[in-house]
Amino acid sequence: MAVSYNALAQSLQGISSCFIPKTYCVRDTKQRSRSNVVFASNDKNIALQAKVDNLLDRIKWDDKGLAVAIAQNVDTGAILMQGFINREALSTTITSRKATFFSRSRSTLWTKGETSNNYINIRDVYLDCDRDSIIYLGTPDGPTCHTGAETCYYTSVFDQLNDDEASGNKLALTTLYSLESIISKRKEESTVPQEGKPSWTRRLLTDDALLCSKIREEADELCRTLEEKEEVSRTASEMADVLYHSMVLLSKRDVKVEDVLEVLRKRFSQSGIEEKQNRTK
């Protein structure tokens, strides 16, 4: 079971760039053995510092005082990178909301993006059930890999075993994003003349009226599975059709699925009525 650091300070987490309000804490350049956050001297802040230190104490650091941290995109679920952290790196990540790691070769902290400006902005931090592995859940400002790739994971072992030449240039994608990638390729191909019968995706990409009519048709069929109390499997099938055709429309409009998920995430703490009132007209 994963444990979220936000559970301890949920009431303190706001829109600021720090999980803990800046008025409560400053960097501690001397006390490296404990949390590098020092709180103003009152009972509430002393208690909060004790909670942070207690959580750090409960992590199973290895004999070198390190643990593994995995950075994950909060919207796409993509695994961005892996690094090592020590107590101070995790404490810095919690307070700065920037993914921070420990360099074993240089024996110093480093923040992802400090040279490239491609920071990973932390939304939450999770511990695994054994408390020896950490997830940095966040949004990247740009490509994560030093090669310029979106993530550091783009080499498929199975493709290499099959001698696939593209094995070193294939991002690890979940089902939804694999579909988005295929649609994007079909979009690129649609600009080149083709002999023979075009694929269904190509037809949709080149015929706006057909695409919109199919989205309306599939949405209606989805609703009928509820109205006519059809099998649950039928609802899943019709929803898959709605998703596919809607993603073709997104591609036509140069909108990424990630952009849609970001909008949804930002609505989590907002009522539907408030959200509609704040929409740009």
Side-chain angles (χ1 to χ4, degrees):
M1 184 180 78
V3 179
S4 167
Y5 265 88
N6 276 1
L8 95 89
Q10 195 169 24
S11 62
L12 295 176
Q13 181 179 352
I15 305 175
S16 70
S17 60
C18 176
F19 278 129
I20 302 165
K22 293 180 180 178
T23 54
Y24 290 172
C25 61
V26 295
R27 296 284 181 183
D28 177 7
T29 58
K30 298 179 180 179
Q31 300 180 17
R32 296 301 187 185
S33 63
R34 303 295 289 173
S35 166
N36 68 337
V37 179
V38 176
F39 296 88
S41 181
N42 65 50
D43 292 342
K44 179 179 179 181
N45 298 335
I46 291 174
L48 182 56
Q49 181 174 10
K51 286 184 178 181
V52 172
D53 284 332
N54 181 50
L55 280 169
L56 294 174
D57 286 340
R58 290 159 60 193
I59 294 175
K60 294 180 181 178
W61 308 103
D62 67 14
D63 56 1
K64 295 180 180 179
L66 302 176
V68 172
I70 300 166
Q72 182 176 14
N73 189 315
V74 67
D75 291 321
T76 69
I79 303 302
L80 302 174
M81 63 169 290
Q82 173 197 288
F84 286 89
I85 61 171
N86 60 5
R87 185 187 188 96
E88 184 181 358
L90 181 53
S91 179
T92 299
T93 297
I94 293 172
T95 58
S96 71
R97 286 194 182 226
K98 302 293 182 185
T100 302
F101 302 88
F102 178 78
S103 171
R104 293 173 296 170
S105 60
R106 291 179 286 129
S107 296
T108 186
L109 299 188
W110 65 280
T111 299
K112 173 59 188 172
E114 59 189 10
T115 57
S116 66
N117 288 323
N118 292 329
Y119 294 98
I120 299 176
N121 305 290
I122 300 303
R123 300 288 176 177
D124 209 339
V125 179
Y126 281 81
L127 300 177
D128 77 337
C129 55
D130 293 323
R131 297 182 181 273
D132 58 3
S133 178
I134 291 91
I135 287 181
Y136 286 168
L137 199 60
T139 55
D141 284 337
T144 297
C145 187
H146 71 282
T147 64
E150 182 180 341
T151 82
C152 294
Y153 299 93
Y154 49 80
T155 303
S156 167
V157 171
F158 287 168
D159 283 353
Q160 283 198 334
L161 293 175
N162 292 327
D163 297 321
D164 189 330
E165 294 181 358
S167 63
N169 189 30
K170 179 182 177 182
L171 288 175
L173 299 174
T174 55
T175 301
L176 195 64
Y177 292 94
S178 293
L179 175 58
E180 182 180 53
S181 178
I182 292 171
I183 293 172
S184 179
K185 290 179 181 178
R186 296 293 181 268
K187 182 181 178 181
E188 293 176 4
E189 295 168 356
S190 68
T191 61
V192 180
Q194 180 188 36
E195 294 182 2
K197 187 177 180 180
S199 68
W200 179 243
T201 301
R202 181 172 179 138
R203 285 185 59 192
L204 293 172
L205 287 166
T206 56
D207 189 334
D208 291 356
L210 174 63
L211 174 57
C212 290
S213 69
K214 287 302 297 182
I215 293 175
R216 295 186 181 100
E217 175 188 330
E218 300 299 346
D220 179 65
E221 291 180 359
L222 173 63
C223 291
R224 288 211 305 269
T225 67
L226 173 63
E227 295 167 342
E228 299 174 11
K229 296 181 174 54
E230 298 183 16
E231 294 290 332
V232 172
S233 60
R234 182 67 177 170
T235 301
S237 176
E238 294 301 338
M239 186 62 211
D241 289 339
V242 172
L243 274 175
Y244 160 69
H245 288 90
S246 297
M247 288 174 65
V248 175
L249 188 148
L250 290 179
S251 180
K252 285 276 292 184
R253 299 288 295 166
D254 294 321
V255 176
K256 294 183 177 181
V257 172
E258 182 177 355
D259 298 331
V260 177
L261 295 178
E262 181 181 2
V263 172
L264 287 173
R265 171 169 49 79
K266 289 179 177 179
R267 291 179 182 176
F268 285 170
S269 59
Q270 196 175 34
S271 73
I273 296 175
E274 181 183 0
E275 186 276 325
K276 288 184 178 180
Q277 291 175 343
N278 291 336
R279 287 185 188 180
T280 303
K281 296 182 178 179

